[in-house]
Amino acid sequence: MESAMDYHTARALLEWQIELGATEAILDAPVNRYETPAQKPKPKADAPIAPIKKPKIDPVQVAKTQAQGAGDLAALKATLAQFEHCDLRRGARSMVFADGNPAAKVMIIGEAPGRDEDREGRPFVGRVGQLFDRMFAAIDLSRDGSEAESSVYVTNILPWRPPQNRDPKADEIAMMMPFVARHVELANPDILVLMGNIACQGVLGKRGVSRLRGHWVEAFGKPALPMYHPDALMRNPVLKREAWADLLDLKSRLNGKG
Ligand code: URA
């Protein structure tokens, strides 16, 4: 059995330790003073980082919703100017919306702005535009006309110039079509003219203007006439004969004789 040490013995032992150089009381077990408080384990360097999921956006659906929300042509133009999903806008100087008389009975849909149109912000200017104006002047139609019967209204499938005038891609056309559809709905012409392959691809879903031209079809609930693009006529003037036949056909239809 352990006997309790008396006061005097304990004190003598303590003094003896102090004499030996002890300066502080110590515990039974050693204390590691280099040990830091418990820390959170560090993630391993090669631990996989969970990807941040972005909600997937369907630009065609966004275009449909936005275009339908536009109540008039000015609102449609402003909505298109805010549309962020078509990358072509970033390389273009201007947005080319339309030109001519919005009340015209004839609405012409072309392809996309070229260099001159991108500079001026109007469709069909430059050399192609001059031929365009001469073609319609030949059947007494002009984009400067103030009467619905004697004027035209003109737009393009794409409002921004593709780089180096390349053909528009299918997804670029698809995301612009809701705006074109709304444009037609708001302008409400009697007749549509689809100029060239890209207009036919966008509106009718097929190319091959040399087969399609001259045959009336229905588009957006309106009679539509596919025609050669003036650019094609400049590169291949023998096509002008067929283009002239189509212009005469358009004039007859406008005068209620077609
Ligand atoms: N070609 C088009 O189809 N549209 C224009 O505006 C100019 C050239």
Side-chain angles (χ1 to χ4, degrees):
M1 233 174 104
E2 259 182 36
S3 59
M5 194 182 285
D6 69 67
Y7 167 79
H8 297 287
T9 309
R11 185 179 173 122
L13 278 173
L14 193 57
E15 282 170 357
W16 179 67
Q17 284 190 23
I18 290 167
E19 258 175 52
L20 287 177
T23 55
E24 58 182 318
I26 55 169
L27 303 173
D28 288 347
V31 176
N32 181 358
R33 298 190 190 283
Y34 293 103
E35 195 175 79
T36 49
Q39 285 177 346
K40 281 188 191 164
K42 281 190 188 157
K44 284 185 202 152
D46 55 357
I49 297 166
I52 299 168
K53 276 192 189 159
K54 277 194 198 161
K56 205 162 167 7
I57 291 171
D58 175 2
V60 177
Q61 199 48 52
V62 175
K64 273 186 191 163
T65 310
Q66 293 190 355
Q68 279 307 314
D72 57 26
L73 291 172
L76 186 68
K77 184 176 178 181
T79 305
L80 193 52
Q82 302 289 320
F83 185 75
E84 282 295 331
H85 302 283
C86 183
D87 285 342
L88 292 177
R89 61 174 300 139
R90 286 174 247 289
R93 276 196 204 185
S94 21
M95 185 184 89
V96 176
F97 183 68
D99 196 22
N101 181 359
K105 291 194 165 187
V106 178
M107 179 169 179
I108 299 152
I109 302 177
E111 176 180 330
R115 195 184 51 182
D116 296 323
E117 291 76 17
D118 185 41
R119 267 207 204 118
E120 279 198 36
R122 286 198 309 137
F124 288 100
V125 295
R127 284 180 63 223
V128 172
Q130 285 167 17
L131 177 55
F132 172 99
D133 286 338
R134 284 206 304 277
M135 287 166 68
F136 289 98
I139 54 165
D140 305 316
L141 296 178
S142 143
R143 59 174 123 183
D144 301 323
S146 53
E147 300 299 319
E149 291 73 18
S150 58
S151 54
V152 292
Y153 183 56
V154 52
T155 188
N156 284 309
I157 296 286
L158 294 187
W160 297 289
R161 181 193 182 198
Q164 277 81 47
N165 294 351
R166 67 153 168 77
D167 270 3
K169 296 180 189 163
D171 65 324
E172 292 163 346
I173 295 176
M175 70 176 90
M176 286 302 117
M177 287 318 296
F179 290 101
V180 176
R182 186 69 177 145
H183 205 156
V184 172
E185 201 174 10
L186 291 169
N188 195 22
D190 288 357
I191 288 174
L192 289 170
V193 173
L194 309 177
M195 287 203 118
N197 266 323
I198 300 298
C200 291
Q201 180 182 346
V203 176
L204 306 177
K206 50 190 168 189
R207 294 172 77 128
V209 69
S210 52
R211 267 179 295 111
L212 295 167
R213 61 139 287 273
H215 300 286
W216 287 90
V217 289
E218 196 182 283
F220 306 120
K222 309 207 173 275
L225 183 62
M227 276 185 64
Y228 283 123
H229 193 285
D231 193 41
L233 302 180
M234 282 173 69
R235 280 186 278 110
N236 196 356
V238 295
L239 301 179
K240 283 184 180 172
R241 179 205 274 274
E242 287 167 324
W244 177 236
D246 296 342
L247 285 167
L248 291 178
D249 193 4
L250 173 63
K251 189 175 169 67
S252 305
R253 179 68 79 117
L254 258 182
N255 294 342
K257 295 178 199 145

